[in-house]
Amino acid sequence: MNALTRDPWLDGSGVRVRRHRGPSGRTLYVALAPGGPGGRRRALPGNGGLRVVTGAPPSGGARRLGRRLAVEMLLKHRLHRTGFSGAKLLVTGAAGVDEELLAWIAAVLGQHAGRLYTGADMGVTAVDMERLARLSPYVLNAVGSRAEPHASTAAGVRGAVEAWARGPVAGMRVLVHGAGKVGAVLAAELAAAGAGVLVHDRDPAAAEVPGCTAVRDWTGAEVDVFVPCSVSDLVDPALARTLRCGAVIGSANAVLADEEATLRVLAERGILYLPTPLVGAGAVIVDSIEYYAPEAFRLAEPHEVYAFVRATVGDAVRWLLDAASDLSPAALLRERQSLSAPVPVPGVPAARSAAGPEERFCGLRFAPAGLADRGRPTGGRVPDGAAGGG
């Protein structure tokens, strides 16, 4: 039993996984988490990335992986009050992404009629999502904006690291594992902010990030923070016993293998683990802006979006580090469970923070200075009355 299964709301049994057989032997698994806690008057639309798995099927099966990732998405959405429920789309049996595959996915999204939205995950590019957005209105991937989801995720991780450090990252030593879209941006930003950054990637050329030091043998590196931005199940009990860091703070989904045992080893060694749903939520925070405040999102500069994500994640991490004695994922959610006690947000009047649930969705808080002069309308979007997200 992992740490999530202790909470009946997050035990995965409430996640519905539907299998769709598609063209050319492809299979699409759609995992939908429950739409909201008991008593919610409006169920929330589901939101989660599209992952395309090429080659061997996922270890443990696609259904199990879909459930696990949907639960992580549920945690991301609820910890940051995005106005969505958790979901995941997982394609197996595909050699890659082509027009036939995208047309089929668009058709499946259409069947959900606004109850399910998706964006890019592993195996899918921003260009793929732009193509999908031309076929379906149910895509949230910063389409039409200069802000980029992976840069938003990197901004959130930086905010979490700064919150843990209780200040700037200058002078810290950081190991970034995985120099993909998120890791490369994050490593470069941390280095530019004065941190000493080591980077490891299975592709040695990718690890050559400007301002950073590429490393091949990384497991014995002594650093302040280990930042996994690569694959799921990276940190198991054996690796947890060899890490030489003060904290594990990264963006990789489902990064802990044998979660309960790994958390126990990390705790015994005095290493803090900040769960990915709390840290790697930049893209879903942007989805909340794109969905609930589309005109504000369209008019905003990318740096304003990234600053909002960085502050939103940082505020949540600081609040929970101060409030929570147990930092397991389920315990964190219990600390954030009461919607009547939102985290204070700088610049947001308390009266608005205490208003109805829709007013507390993080996307509706996005209002950079001067945005009104750029033509931003007042008000924002609220969920449709139709059931959604499970």
Side-chain angles (χ1 to χ4, degrees):
M1 178 182 295
N2 67 34
L4 292 180
T5 62
R6 294 190 183 125
D7 190 319
W9 176 241
L10 296 171
D11 66 1
S13 63
V15 176
R16 299 205 316 259
V17 181
R18 293 180 177 174
R19 184 175 64 179
H20 301 262
R21 296 289 192 184
S24 306
R26 301 158 177 174
T27 303
L28 170 63
Y29 295 86
V30 177
L32 291 168
R40 181 183 289 281
R41 287 179 293 178
R42 287 193 181 109
L44 301 175
N47 173 255
L50 168 64
R51 178 175 295 197
V52 176
V53 178
T54 58
S59 175
R63 284 183 179 274
R64 177 180 176 275
L65 179 60
R67 282 195 181 91
R68 185 179 181 190
L69 293 174
V71 167
E72 287 225 347
M73 291 302 301
L74 175 65
L75 277 161
K76 286 183 181 183
H77 290 306
R78 299 202 54 212
L79 284 168
H80 294 286
R81 301 191 176 100
T82 64
F84 295 104
S85 185
K88 206 69 182 180
L89 280 71
L90 182 66
V91 175
T92 62
V97 179
D98 55 29
E99 290 297 332
E100 183 181 45
L101 177 64
L102 293 175
W104 172 49
I105 292 170
V108 173
L109 289 171
Q111 293 172 15
H112 290 270
R115 299 188 300 270
L116 174 64
Y117 288 79
T118 195
D121 192 11
M122 295 175 64
V124 182
T125 68
V127 172
D128 295 330
M129 298 313 297
E130 290 173 4
R131 293 157 63 197
L132 181 58
R134 290 195 288 269
L135 302 171
S136 170
Y138 307 119
V139 175
L140 294 172
N141 202 66
V143 176
S145 168
R146 287 174 293 139
E148 298 178 323
H150 67 272
S152 301
T153 299
V157 178
R158 179 179 175 181
V161 172
E162 291 169 334
W164 171 77
R166 303 290 180 173
V169 300
M172 292 177 59
R173 283 178 57 81
V174 180
L175 170 60
V176 176
H177 187 284
K181 291 182 291 186
V182 174
V185 170
L186 176 63
E189 286 192 0
L190 292 175
V197 183
L198 307 177
V199 181
H200 171 81
D201 194 275
R202 62 183 180 182
D203 176 5
E208 299 287 345
V209 178
C212 305
T213 301
V215 295
R216 294 197 179 188
D217 183 11
W218 58 275
T219 55
E222 186 170 355
V223 295
D224 296 298
V225 184
F226 174 56
V227 182
C229 298
S230 51
V231 296
S232 301
D233 295 327
L234 174 67
V235 184
D236 59 12
L239 179 60
R241 293 187 186 95
T242 66
L243 288 175
R244 302 173 68 189
C245 61
V248 177
I249 305 173
S251 65
N253 288 318
V255 72
L256 300 187
D258 193 357
E259 187 174 86
E260 187 172 3
T262 302
L263 285 172
R264 185 167 57 248
V265 173
L266 292 173
E268 289 169 353
R269 301 193 61 232
I271 298 174
L272 175 73
Y273 168 66
L274 287 182
T276 304
L278 176 63
V279 174
V284 300
I285 293 170
V286 172
D287 287 349
S288 183
I289 302 171
E290 185 177 1
Y291 183 84
Y292 287 104
E295 287 303 308
F297 183 63
R298 182 181 62 81
L299 294 167
E301 296 293 332
H303 70 87
E304 294 172 320
V305 175
Y306 305 149
F308 178 81
V309 169
R310 181 178 165 190
T312 298
V313 174
D315 288 342
V317 169
R318 276 185 287 271
W319 188 86
L320 287 163
L321 286 174
D322 290 338
S325 58
D326 179 357
L327 293 179
S328 66
L332 286 182
L333 186 59
R334 285 194 291 271
E335 293 289 349
R336 297 273 281 177
Q337 195 75 293
S338 172
L339 288 177
S340 63
V343 175
V345 179
V348 178
R352 182 175 181 187
S353 294
E358 289 81 4
E359 285 298 309
R360 290 191 296 270
F361 293 158
C362 66
L364 288 170
R365 298 200 310 261
F366 180 70
L371 197 62
D373 296 334
R374 288 172 250 168
R376 182 193 179 194
T378 58
R381 182 175 184 173
V382 297
D384 297 330

